[in-house]
Amino acid sequence: MARWNVWLVIVIVGMMSVAVMAQTTPRDYALSTPQVTYNDNNSIATVTVDITNNGGDATADTDITIIQDGIGRVLQTLTLPPQPADASVTIEFEIMLADFETGDIFFAIEAGIDQFELAGSPIARDNRALVRVTVPANAQPVTTTDTPTATDDTSEFDFVIPGVNIGIRILDDGIQVNQDVYPLQDILIGVGVVAVGLFFLWFITLILRLLFRRPPSFGTWQPPYAFNTYHDPNSTLGRRQGWQTHAQNGTIFDACTPNNVVAIKRLTDTENNPISEWDIKAIRTVQYDMYGRISRTEVIMPSKVLKKLNKVKKRSKKYDNPTLRKKIMPIAKDLSKLARKPINKKSTMLPIAMDMRFEGTHGEVRIMFELYQCQQGAWHLIDQWEPEMAVIGHKIVENYTYTLNGQLPGETYKEFQKRLVEDMAWILSGMFYKHQQPDIPEQDMVPPDTLTGMAPITEDNMRPVDGDEDTDKHRAV
């Protein structure tokens, strides 16, 4: 709760700071004493005056005029762009002397007398200056006249953005973009407003994500095949139904000892392709000990990992086994990294259960149970059957459970990390390998020593524990 209060105070202080910074003082243009110079042939008099902004930043253009005093004749009018606070600009007027009678003539220069600095108001007193120009008797007329402009050079920029013809100049107190000058204070205010806006946008997005994004879940699973029908245990149907509870996945991990019997379940499509039409909906890893699963070590893999794995599954028919293993390896690294996060180094020796949830459409997928027996040093298929289905609806949900060794004696933690990735890669790629006859296995189909002989989690050797039940108080480390 205190954390949110701190954030609320920061936001309020930031908004108040922006509001205070936005309160600027009005501009206040002031004219210096004009200076007059004459050219060599006494044909042109140049009047120079400095205009300084003694107030706040200007926000609009204003007019600069030179008027013949006494008769009110306007000689020239220039436009002064908005000037930032404390900025000064030099303005020059050229007066053709031959247009006036010989003698002294007075001119008035006015700048910034408008709706911001009203004529006759105290703030506009220094917006008008008088200048005396002496017209000689031999004043010569000129045939060409250049339009006077402000002397501040806006034609040279530090760099120009090509294509859009935008020139940018870095000033000491701001940035000039083409002919527009943006004071540093305005830039800081703009950056502050944008930063506050982005913060609120991020905050609202975070709230919406928390409200509408559901965390990944694994859910409970009920076998889609019937367990309620009771058959004679000595009959073929009864024996098959009993073996179904021992089939945890589609791979034989047991060591081949004489007459040893192992049951597996294979998930295929109607053409016997492994996992072809099944979608992988969830993956969960959790450590377990003699008392059950340790819920604090449970990790439900995010959807991005599932998408990568399903993408490889769809293309697995086009890959040979080495290529498939190469595609699976990055996914196995992600799974291993996520699975190890809640595991502390003191409990790394505990085995890890990896559950995988599959979903298929009725009529497009098959569940095949197979019973193997070790004879003459090889596994031989002795029975094969499809279960009696008890599906309500058009979706079939199945589950695989694999067991992986924790850190083995004499194995360093880094070796354990590397080996866990290899074991997961072997399990995942093995699901997509084309089915091989167990008496002639490929090299890649032979389980590594770290997976061989692991006792599967069954009702006979493991107390079932729901995912929400915390068994930390029972864990053995």
Side-chain angles (χ1 to χ4, degrees):
M1 192 65 181
R3 181 181 178 184
W4 288 109
N5 291 336
V6 172
W7 276 106
L8 182 60
V9 172
I10 293 174
V11 171
I12 294 175
V13 172
M15 296 179 64
M16 293 177 61
S17 300
V18 171
V20 171
M21 293 176 67
Q23 298 175 358
T24 58
T25 57
R27 72 157 203 224
D28 183 11
Y29 287 143
L31 276 62
S32 65
T33 301
Q35 304 295 323
V36 182
T37 58
Y38 302 89
N39 62 351
D40 295 338
N41 60 1
N42 292 325
S43 60
I44 298 176
T46 302
V47 179
T48 304
V49 64
D50 293 333
I51 302 176
T52 304
N53 185 2
N54 295 326
D57 297 331
T59 59
D61 296 341
T62 189
D63 292 334
I64 308 172
T65 57
I66 182 168
I67 306 169
Q68 186 175 354
D69 194 39
I71 64 175
R73 175 190 172 190
V74 178
L75 270 65
Q76 297 174 21
T77 301
L78 301 178
T79 299
L80 179 66
Q83 299 297 310
D86 300 327
S88 181
V89 63
T90 301
I91 303 298
E92 292 183 353
F93 294 96
E94 291 184 347
I95 300 175
M96 308 300 120
L97 298 178
D99 295 340
F100 300 93
E101 297 180 356
T102 304
D104 293 336
I105 302 176
F106 290 90
F107 296 92
I109 302 174
E110 297 180 351
I113 299 179
D114 49 22
Q115 70 272 21
F116 296 100
E117 298 180 76
L118 299 177
S121 63
I123 196 174
R125 291 176 182 175
D126 51 4
N127 290 53
R128 191 173 190 273
L130 287 175
V131 59
R132 183 180 66 180
V133 176
T134 301
V135 180
N138 58 347
Q140 300 293 324
V142 293
T143 55
T144 59
T145 304
D146 295 331
T147 304
T149 56
T151 59
D152 57 327
D153 187 6
T154 58
S155 61
E156 297 181 358
F157 302 99
D158 293 333
F159 56 90
V160 178
I161 301 177
V164 293
N165 196 25
I166 295 179
I168 298 177
R169 178 192 292 175
I170 307 299
L171 306 176
D172 293 338
D173 55 353
I175 297 177
Q176 178 181 346
V177 181
N178 287 346
Q179 304 302 324
D180 299 326
V181 177
Y182 299 93
L184 182 60
Q185 184 178 5
D186 289 349
I187 296 174
L188 294 177
I189 292 175
V191 171
V193 171
V194 171
V196 173
L198 291 176
F199 171 77
F200 276 106
L201 180 62
W202 168 81
F203 187 72
I204 293 173
T205 304
L206 180 62
I207 293 177
L208 293 177
R209 289 177 60 187
L210 293 175
L211 289 176
F212 297 103
R213 185 184 67 179
R214 294 181 178 179
S217 60
F218 200 81
T220 57
W221 172 69
Q222 293 294 333
Y225 25 84
F227 275 97
N228 296 330
T229 55
Y230 294 98
H231 300 285
D232 183 357
N234 295 318
S235 66
T236 300
L237 291 178
R239 287 194 295 268
R240 285 176 174 177
Q241 193 175 70
W243 278 112
Q244 287 175 185
T245 60
H246 296 276
Q248 296 296 300
N249 50 65
T251 308
I252 299 176
F253 292 103
D254 286 27
C256 186
T257 57
N259 299 322
N260 187 21
V261 180
V262 174
I264 64 173
K265 57 180 173 181
R266 295 195 299 114
L267 307 182
T268 66
D269 60 8
T270 55
E271 297 179 358
N272 209 35
N273 296 311
I275 317 295
S276 178
E277 296 298 327
W278 293 87
D279 291 328
I280 303 172
K281 290 296 185 178
I283 299 178
R284 173 179 62 187
T285 59
V286 59
Q287 283 187 307
Y288 66 95
D289 57 16
M290 60 183 298
Y291 299 104
R293 298 191 174 192
I294 305 173
S295 61
R296 67 169 178 80
T297 64
E298 181 184 77
V299 177
I300 299 176
M301 302 303 165
S303 59
K304 62 180 181 180
V305 176
L306 302 178
K307 290 180 180 178
K308 292 179 182 178
L309 189 57
N310 280 303
K311 185 177 180 180
V312 174
K313 174 190 72 70
K314 291 180 180 178
R315 300 180 180 179
S316 60
K317 295 180 182 178
K318 303 178 181 179
Y319 301 143
D320 56 15
N321 290 350
T323 303
L324 181 60
R325 180 65 176 270
K326 185 178 179 181
K327 297 290 184 181
I328 287 292
M329 185 59 69
I331 303 175
K333 290 181 179 179
D334 293 339
L335 290 174
S336 175
K337 182 178 179 180
L338 293 170
R340 295 195 314 266
K341 277 188 176 180
I343 300 176
N344 57 56
K345 291 187 177 182
K346 294 182 179 180
S347 62
T348 53
M349 73 289 296
L350 292 178
I352 301 172
M354 183 170 70
D355 301 317
M356 302 186 66
R357 187 64 49 80
F358 301 89
E359 185 179 89
T361 303
H362 188 71
E364 297 180 1
V365 297
R366 296 175 64 193
I367 303 174
M368 183 66 66
F369 285 91
E370 295 178 348
L371 192 63
Y372 291 90
Q373 186 176 36
C374 180
Q375 297 175 357
Q376 298 178 353
W379 292 105
H380 294 273
L381 180 66
I382 60 176
D383 196 6
Q384 187 180 53
W385 70 93
E386 292 188 50
E388 300 177 43
M389 302 300 292
V391 178
I392 300 176
H394 65 285
K395 293 294 183 181
I396 300 176
V397 180
E398 250 297 354
N399 194 84
Y400 270 4
T401 296
Y402 295 93
T403 57
L404 300 100
N405 274 300
Q407 186 174 354
L408 300 174
E411 189 178 45
T412 65
Y413 186 73
K414 288 186 177 180
E415 291 173 344
F416 162 66
Q417 291 177 319
K418 183 179 179 181
R419 191 260 303 164
L420 186 61
V421 174
E422 295 288 339
D423 288 352
M424 286 188 171
W426 194 95
I427 289 174
L428 295 177
S429 56
M431 288 193 308
F432 308 138
Y433 284 160
K434 295 181 180 179
H435 184 59
Q436 305 289 330
Q437 291 297 328
D439 54 344
I440 313 176
E442 294 184 1
Q443 184 64 30
D444 286 339
M445 294 296 292
V446 178
D449 293 338
T450 52
L451 291 176
T452 303
M454 283 290 295
I457 301 177
T458 64
E459 293 182 356
D460 296 335
N461 64 3
M462 187 58 59
R463 177 175 61 87
V465 179
D466 294 336
D468 295 333
E469 181 179 348
D470 191 354
T471 60
D472 287 5
K473 59 184 180 180
H474 299 300
R475 65 185 181 89
V477 294

